[in-house]
Amino acid sequence: MQPFVYEQLTHRVIFGAGSLARLADEARRAGIQRALVVSTPDRRFVDQVTRQLGSLVAGVYANAAMHVPIERAHEALSQVQSLKADGCVAVGGGSAIGLAKAIALDIGLPIIAVPTTYAGSEMTSIYGVSEGGVKRTGRDHRVLPRTVLYDPALTASLPGRVAGPSGMNALAHCVEALYAQDANPVITLVAQEGIRAMSHALPLVVRSQDDVEARSQALYGAWLAGMSLGAVGMAIHHKLCHTLGGSFGLPHAEVHSVILPHAAAFNRDAAPEAMRVAALALEEPDAPRGLFELALRIGAPTSLKAIGMPESGLDRAATLATQNPYYNPRPVDYAGVRVLLENAYHGRRP
Ligand code: NAD
């Protein structure tokens, strides 16, 4: 057995349809008396959340955006200060939660996260802020949400075209956790169960918005995926997605959906045990191919071309993704990554 280090992140997780009704109690428990509610401009859940919080609401910041532009982080921080808010309640996907993390990074206030997609940010101490087209990321315990409230009822409104890629994003956290440099047996179990739950739920989730059980299973899988992402380091897949999202403006979850089968294929021979575990959880003979077939089945993107990547950018993407060394089971080189990107661009079966 390989030696390992396991570090437990501490937060409180509440899961269940209707659990949003516990929000005010949870806010008090976290010591929040004056909450800034954070959301994206669609404000989809703002009324529900402010109703639940009642007198605990100090204000609303509904201008969160993908990759946390620094101007928005400053705007929200000055709102916190002028309202004398003592905590954030972030409701939405990774964008809303990312903004609350940027505030917490500066002034260390508690966050309650109410995730409504499968991105997984709520379970990690990873933050990211974008400035001048460059995203700075890091890990800091101050940004880890104190409490996470998963209410599958809030995901009923996720249309299949958003839920599918978002679920592939969650699967990517699980797959890379299986071959992480600092993998450990606890997170391997968590990731395996995350793949099982998410891959079984996704075809049902995209078929109907009313299947509460499937949406609960998918959100459960997303929780486990977020836990995996928060606990161990990632590798080539996340590096490539970060490069493609940051330098070519491609949509976050969709990039994950396209790249995942190819990143898994890249590591197929170098990480046989991880592939065996992933294939078992997917109930497929081969993990990379199983992931590709799943993306096809749920109508999630399978080619970079289809999500707006210029073919002329593939060389630069391969250069950017290989210029700094990082851990990956198979050594990362320009030629190998260029082939991976070529295959992903055309949506070839891995
Ligand atoms: P998002 O938060 O931007 O949400 C995507 C869209 O879906 C938005 O328009 C949002 O308003 C809408 N939406 C959210 N929930 C909905 C629902 N239930 N019903 C209908 N529409 C809904 O995107 P995302 O994919 O959740 O998050 C992506 C961001 O999160 C990126 O910036 C990424 O870098 C970050 N992220 C960070 C971490 C981390 O650990 N720090 C992890 C994963 C993702």
Side-chain angles (χ1 to χ4, degrees), residues 39-45 64-68 91-98 101 115-128 130 135 137-138 143 153-159 162 165-166 169 173 209 215 226 229-230 238 242 252-254 256:
S39 108
T40 40
D42 67 6
R43 300 181 74 103
R44 187 181 295 273
F45 303 105
M66 189 84 78
H67 305 309
V68 194
V91 61
S95 298
I97 294 166
K101 285 176 160 184
T116 63
T117 70
Y118 308 138
S121 177
E122 65 282 356
M123 291 301 295
T124 82
S125 57
I126 304 167
Y127 63 85
S130 306
K135 188 168 176 183
T137 60
V143 311
L154 301 181
T155 67
S157 52
L158 266 183
V162 181
S166 192
N169 185 10
H173 306 331
Q209 292 192 222
R215 288 197 177 234
L229 175 69
H238 281 76
H242 189 83
H252 177 83
E254 285 75 3
H256 277 272

Side-chain angles (χ1 to χ4, degrees), residues 115-251:
T116 63
T117 70
Y118 308 138
S121 177
E122 65 282 356
M123 291 301 295
T124 82
S125 57
I126 304 167
Y127 63 85
V129 180
S130 306
E131 189 173 10
V134 179
K135 188 168 176 183
R136 176 172 56 91
T137 60
R139 288 190 192 244
D140 192 308
H141 278 290
R142 278 180 304 174
V143 311
L144 185 70
R146 184 81 53 90
T147 306
V148 182
L149 215 149
Y150 286 105
D151 186 340
L154 301 181
T155 67
S157 52
L158 266 183
R161 68 184 158 71
V162 181
S166 192
M168 294 299 290
N169 185 10
L171 285 168
H173 306 331
C174 297
V175 170
E176 291 232 295
L178 293 175
Y179 55 62
Q181 185 172 26
D182 50 354
N184 66 68
V186 175
I187 292 302
T188 294
L189 285 172
V190 167
Q192 182 176 9
E193 172 66 356
I195 295 172
R196 188 205 60 76
M198 184 59 87
S199 62
H200 284 71
L202 274 182
L204 302 171
V205 161
V206 301
R207 194 178 309 152
S208 152
Q209 292 192 222
D210 306 323
D211 190 335
V212 180
E213 183 52 31
R215 288 197 177 234
S216 299
Q217 284 292 324
L219 196 59
Y220 164 65
W223 168 47
L224 301 176
M227 207 191 288
S228 306
L229 175 69
V232 295
M234 298 284 117
I236 190 170
H237 170 82
H238 281 76
K239 175 73 183 176
L240 277 175
C241 292
H242 189 83
T243 303
L244 292 167
S247 303
F248 298 92
L250 303 184

